[in-house]
Amino acid sequence: MEDYIQEILISREEIESHVAEIGRQISRDYKDKDPIFIGVLKGCFIFMADLMRHVTVDCSMDFMAVTSYQGTTSTGAVRITKDLSENIENRHIILVEDILDSGVTLNYLKNYLSVRKPASIAVATLMDKPARRKAEIYADYSCFEVPDAFVVGYGLDYNERYRNLPYIGILKPEIYE
Ligand code: IMP
Ligand code: MG
């Protein structure tokens, strides 16, 4: 194990099997619906790539990028830095996130996208950290529920690092100091 990791929370094998299961569920639920996967960059990139390889129905994909600022209020504010290039009117959207934490980002994106009149919007997340939820938002598909710890790997970063780890790990506290 890498020396900056305190504990492997989710192994590569566990990730593989849960992501495959979500892919099968989505394939059943979206038969003949031609869904569009919308990944929220950058954290989604590995999860989305693996997930889509387990989807067996016709589908397409696009990406958005956001930055969240922690404002003076407890909700924070979200700014879109890359918008969609596809038209989503009457499309079935599956928003793909690495982790659902406060829920502020996805709640904002759901509202933002609903204005463009999609047929439906669902949320698929690799991890759900319900302990820190501030916005009323739930995942339709979630691979893992995780405790209130800062996790990295499999796309998730701390200061843009550790995204390349093939597992989900908890960082050693001294890395933050
Ligand atoms: P939310 O708006 O609070 O739900 O923020 C979600 C975003 O915060 C995720 O897409 C991640 O980029 C980031 N994030 C939240 N928790 C973690 C974590 O434990 N590790 C790495 N990034 C995290
Ligand atoms: Mg991030």
Side-chain angles (χ1 to χ4, degrees):
M1 178 168 56
E2 285 68 14
D3 58 10
Y4 42 82
I5 295 294
Q6 180 174 65
E7 180 194 333
I8 296 181
L9 190 63
I10 311 170
S11 72
R12 189 177 193 149
E13 293 74 23
E14 281 177 283
I15 296 172
E16 255 168 42
S17 80
H18 285 227
V19 171
E21 177 53 35
I22 295 287
R24 285 191 287 272
Q25 273 179 36
I26 290 175
S27 302
R28 283 195 295 273
D29 296 350
Y30 285 84
K31 197 166 178 288
D32 302 319
K33 286 188 168 173
D34 188 20
I36 177 165
F37 289 83
I38 297 180
V40 185
L41 291 170
K42 304 170 195 172
C44 75
F45 84 111
I46 297 181
F47 172 47
M48 184 148 155
D50 283 348
L51 175 66
M52 286 190 69
R53 278 178 280 190
H54 290 284
V55 172
T56 54
V57 298
D58 273 346
C59 62
S60 57
M61 64 178 293
D62 202 351
F63 289 109
M64 291 187 80
V66 296
T67 30
S68 6
Y69 291 99
Q70 208 54 55
T72 46
T73 63
S74 59
T75 51
V78 181
R79 189 168 65 91
I80 291 167
T81 55
K82 186 221 170 292
D83 208 331
L84 296 175
S85 45
E86 302 295 316
N87 182 2
I88 57 165
E89 195 173 340
N90 296 320
R91 296 292 305 272
H92 292 280
I93 292 175
I94 302 171
L95 271 172
V96 183
E97 254 281 35
D98 51 359
I99 188 165
L100 188 48
D101 186 21
S102 73
V104 170
T105 309
L106 274 182
N107 195 44
Y108 178 88
L109 283 179
K110 258 185 119 166
N111 292 332
Y112 179 82
L113 294 175
S114 64
V115 175
R116 299 185 197 173
K117 310 229 179 313
S120 66
I121 306 182
V123 169
T125 188
L126 176 68
M127 288 176 281
D128 189 356
K129 212 193 263 180
R132 292 178 24 112
R133 197 62 39 83
K134 283 183 203 151
E136 271 268 326
I137 185 156
Y138 308 92
D140 300 274
Y141 304 94
S142 170
C143 296
F144 301 98
E145 190 166 300
V146 295
D148 187 8
F150 197 81
V151 293
V152 295
Y154 197 72
L156 288 96
D157 72 305
Y158 171 65
N159 281 347
E160 294 302 325
R161 302 191 67 169
Y162 318 116
R163 293 192 196 272
N164 54 313
L165 295 176
Y167 55 82
I168 302 286
I170 298 178
L171 267 189
K172 283 188 177 158
E174 56 257 44
I175 303 290
Y176 300 89
E177 289 148 15

